[in-house]
Amino acid sequence: MESVITIFLLLLAAYTGVGLLFGLYFFFKGAAQIDPVISDSKWTVRLLLIPGSIGLWPLLLAKLIIKVKA
């Protein structure tokens, strides 16, 4: 049972690590690609998007890919 918990925690850490990297990209460039109005906002507003982008990075990445292709 310990190995199952260890594997789960490693997968959770990997998901969060990728989410943190994506969150930083989203903070600097990605948010403005999805919503151009956010580029005029203060950096503190975009800073509030980082926790959500860490958790929802697969959805936001899909939106970015669709937006770039269009």
Side-chain angles (χ1 to χ4, degrees):
M1 186 65 176
E2 288 180 28
S3 62
V4 173
I5 294 171
T6 303
I7 291 171
F8 174 75
L9 290 176
L10 286 173
L11 289 174
L12 184 63
Y15 183 88
T16 306
V18 171
L20 181 60
L21 292 175
F22 180 80
L24 292 174
Y25 170 77
F26 195 73
F27 174 75
F28 290 110
K29 292 187 177 183
Q33 290 178 357
I34 291 177
D35 186 11
V37 176
I38 198 125
S39 62
D40 297 333
S41 65
K42 294 182 179 181
W43 67 271
T44 53
V45 174
R46 282 196 261 174
L47 189 64
L48 292 172
L49 296 176
I50 290 178
S53 64
I54 290 173
L56 298 172
W57 69 265
L59 176 68
L60 292 172
L61 181 63
K63 283 189 175 269
L64 278 174
I65 290 171
I66 291 171
K67 200 65 133 161
V68 168
K69 286 184 178 179

